[in-house]
Amino acid sequence: MIPLPLARIAEITSGALAGMADPRAVVRGPVVIDSRAVEPGSLFVAIKGDRVDGHDFAAQAIEAGAVAVLASRPVDVPAVIVGDTVTAMTGLATAVCAELPATTVIGITGSAGKTTTKDLLARLTARIGPTVAPVESFNNEIGHPLTVLKADEDTRYLVLELSAREVGHITHLTRIAPPRIGVVLNVGTAHLGVFGGKEEIARAKGELVEALPADGVAVLNIDDPLVAAMAGRTGARVTWYGRASGADVRAENVTVDDRGRASFTLRTPSGAAPVGLRLYGEHAVENALAAAAAAYELGLPVATIAEELSEAEPRSRWRMEVTDREDGVTVINDAYNANPDSMRAAFGALDALAGDRRRFAVIASLRELGEDGPALNEELGRLAGGAGLVGLFVVGPDADPILAGAEAAVREAAGRVPAAGVPAAYAGPTSHAEASRAVGGPPGVGEPPGIGSAARLSPVVAFGDAPAAGVQGATRVSHAADAAQAGAELSALLAPGDVVLVKGPRAAGLERVAAALLGGERR
């Protein structure tokens, strides 16, 4: 943050000094909302949450070296008292950004892939100047101004994620830090129930390109029709990225190795270079292209872009983290969040990485899908039920649609490719209760190692409509009350060489399943 005396902070936020605060005392940053993150020279912003009130930690923040507390009530320590601390922090971030004319602000939005694209682009911009980017997914009305307040006179690039839960949110964020480059990734089904339809999601995401100046650049995904249509909503220059031949920055000759990592030729208007991603999942190609297109507009040579993309490792936790245990079990921890589109991408990555190895998945019901929620969760169940799994664990409440979809998928598969010892006419259980009982033959018939006689018997089928690549056997579909139960039950089933996908919405806390399977191990 640029150095500011408390008197200036009070002026910007329309606040009043209290608690014997010295108006000449200078805040040099960082601005924090967690008292444990306070450093000498900090400003501690006290936010009252549902479970914790930051005002209760004001004295602790001052003892740790904070110059003052931005508070909405007296706290008996040096403070700037304001009406609302989040609003005041937003005003402070807006004022700070306005005093950084040499800083280029780049905004990234989309239904999926924002954090990965942000991480890649921040790596690229760091090659040409000091860069500030959010920690993890600091992309809302609190995280966004906190990130902006990290910038100072030396900052040349401010790479920001912009999220939206309703129309108008992105407009609000762009007023804090007006972008010169806006990157729109995709319009998917995340928060579908909140917005009411994909057209409304597109309307909200398009607020980013509407905020661009005439001499700015809109970086748009040519392969997504709803994103492509946003070209008509901006006066800025448009740069297209994607796989289509009409893209300015595109991927050619895409291949995926046996670890699910993509390689391709990066083609730009000024030349081409090979890229071999270390990120997992073919969907990472689109994120890499978006970052490449923005970097190309900043003047980075294509060879430099390709080099940095090829060296980039996953930076933000719980996003396609692939870890091999010493016994050969591979855990794919993609548990940070989930929506229908990212679920499809994750199962595609699982298929590519697992090959002919036994595969398991732990998932949970998707949220914020509105009236389409039951149907979309049932579709998720069908996807999982047809993904060649030995075991599927559905965690938490509202699991019925997923379970029903998974059951339907394995019934259909049973009619096409019977498992050993199971008649082709086998139709699976008639209720969820039957999922815990063996049906269709003697206990243990057609079961792979580690699956007990209580498992439902149905053939394993591969992702999509391809024939099974692995061993034919039972698909065990289980409902677990919570992550702890899923982790414990799954641990008992795993054998050396197995592959596990852990993927669900943030509220489900499925990262705890991955932690249980790995036991803190990371390799």
Side-chain angles (χ1 to χ4, degrees):
M1 175 175 161
I2 61 175
L4 290 174
L6 286 181
R8 175 63 178 146
I9 292 174
E11 179 183 359
I12 291 170
T13 60
S14 300
L17 298 181
M20 298 301 293
D22 181 355
R24 292 161 295 186
V26 176
V27 172
R28 302 182 184 279
V31 177
V32 299
I33 60 173
D34 185 338
S35 61
R36 295 167 296 184
V38 168
E39 300 174 11
S42 292
L43 177 68
F44 174 62
V45 181
I47 297 177
K48 188 179 186 307
D50 294 334
R51 292 177 294 178
V52 178
D53 186 348
H55 295 80
D56 297 337
F57 299 89
Q60 180 179 322
I62 295 298
E63 289 173 5
V67 175
V69 177
L70 190 64
S72 59
R73 58 178 170 83
V75 287
D76 296 326
V77 295
V80 179
I81 307 300
V82 297
D84 179 84
T85 54
V86 173
T87 300
M89 181 173 64
T90 297
L92 183 60
T94 304
V96 166
C97 193
E99 295 190 27
L100 300 174
T103 300
T104 298
V105 177
I106 306 168
I108 302 169
T109 194
S111 295
K114 293 186 295 294
T115 300
T116 299
T117 304
K118 173 264 299 181
D119 289 343
L120 291 172
L121 183 53
R123 180 186 178 102
L124 288 164
T125 57
R127 283 289 296 259
I128 51 177
T131 296
V132 169
V135 174
E136 306 254 333
S137 292
F138 274 35
N139 56 21
N140 60 14
E141 69 278 6
I142 295 176
H144 189 79
L146 277 174
T147 302
V148 173
L149 286 167
K150 291 183 177 181
D152 58 23
E153 296 94 337
D154 295 328
T155 303
R156 289 296 168 263
Y157 300 100
L158 187 53
V159 181
L160 301 170
E161 286 186 49
L162 289 81
S163 70
R165 293 182 59 83
E166 62 182 50
V167 171
H169 276 182
I170 289 179
T171 295
H172 167 70
L173 298 179
T174 60
R175 288 171 179 162
I176 298 171
R180 184 161 295 277
I181 297 177
V183 182
V184 185
L185 304 175
N186 44 58
V187 175
T189 48
H191 311 305
L192 186 64
V194 176
F195 284 99
K198 291 184 72 171
E199 291 74 16
E200 284 298 293
I201 296 174
R203 179 183 167 198
K205 301 299 184 186
E207 291 171 2
L208 174 57
V209 300
E210 291 176 344
L212 297 172
D215 61 349
V217 182
V219 178
L220 302 180
N221 183 354
I222 197 172
D223 300 325
D224 187 319
L226 290 174
V227 175
M230 294 177 192
R233 296 170 59 180
T234 182
R237 183 173 77 256
V238 174
T239 289
W240 301 103
Y241 77 89
R243 302 202 192 190
S245 60
D248 301 299
V249 177
R250 61 187 182 272
E252 298 176 345
N253 307 317
V254 178
T255 61
V256 180
D257 68 13
D258 59 5
R259 293 285 288 175
R261 296 167 298 199
S263 296
F264 60 93
T265 298
L266 175 64
R267 179 74 59 183
T268 73
S270 59
V275 174
L277 295 177
R278 298 183 184 182
L279 306 180
Y280 293 91
E282 188 176 349
H283 60 284
V285 172
E286 278 64 38
N287 300 328
L289 287 175
Y296 182 79
E297 286 295 331
L298 293 171
L300 270 76
V302 64
T304 301
I305 296 172
E307 175 189 346
E308 290 295 336
L309 292 178
S310 298
E311 294 179 357
E313 301 276 359
R315 181 177 294 182
S316 296
R317 61 180 180 169
W318 308 336
R319 294 169 177 84
M320 276 293 152
E321 290 182 353
V322 178
T323 306
D324 296 319
R325 298 193 329 194
E326 289 187 357
D327 63 357
V329 170
T330 298
V331 178
I332 306 171
N333 183 358
D334 198 31
Y336 186 82
N337 217 334
N339 58 60
D341 304 304
S342 66
M343 275 291 190
R344 283 189 287 272
F347 273 99
L350 170 65
D351 186 58
L353 194 150
D356 60 0
R357 300 159 67 187
R358 296 199 318 162
R359 56 188 76 176
F360 294 79
V362 184
I363 62 177
S365 179
L366 303 177
R367 316 285 177 89
E368 297 185 345
L369 298 175
E371 61 183 17
D372 294 320
L376 289 171
N377 274 300
E378 183 173 347
E379 182 179 327
L380 170 58
R382 285 182 171 273
L383 172 70
L389 303 175
V390 169
L392 170 65
F393 288 82
V394 185
V395 179
D398 305 320
D400 279 359
I402 297 180
L403 293 170
E407 289 178 1
V410 295
R411 285 176 187 160
E412 292 169 6
R416 294 196 303 268
V417 187
V422 181
Y426 167 63
T430 57
S431 69
H432 294 159
E434 288 191 47
S436 63
R437 300 196 295 272
V439 295
V445 172
E447 296 170 4
I451 299 293
S453 60
R456 254 182 313 157
L457 298 178
S458 59
V460 173
V461 293
F463 182 76
D465 294 324
V471 178
Q472 291 286 339
T475 297
R476 172 178 175 143
V477 180
S478 302
H479 178 218
D482 53 31
Q485 180 186 347
E489 293 186 6
L490 177 55
S491 293
L493 299 176
L494 293 178
D498 290 346
V499 183
V500 182
L501 170 66
V502 182
K503 175 75 172 172
R506 183 82 286 277
L510 296 189
E511 71 278 359
R512 295 194 295 271
V513 176
L517 298 179
L518 294 171
E521 184 180 1
R522 188 73 188 274
R523 192 158 63 88

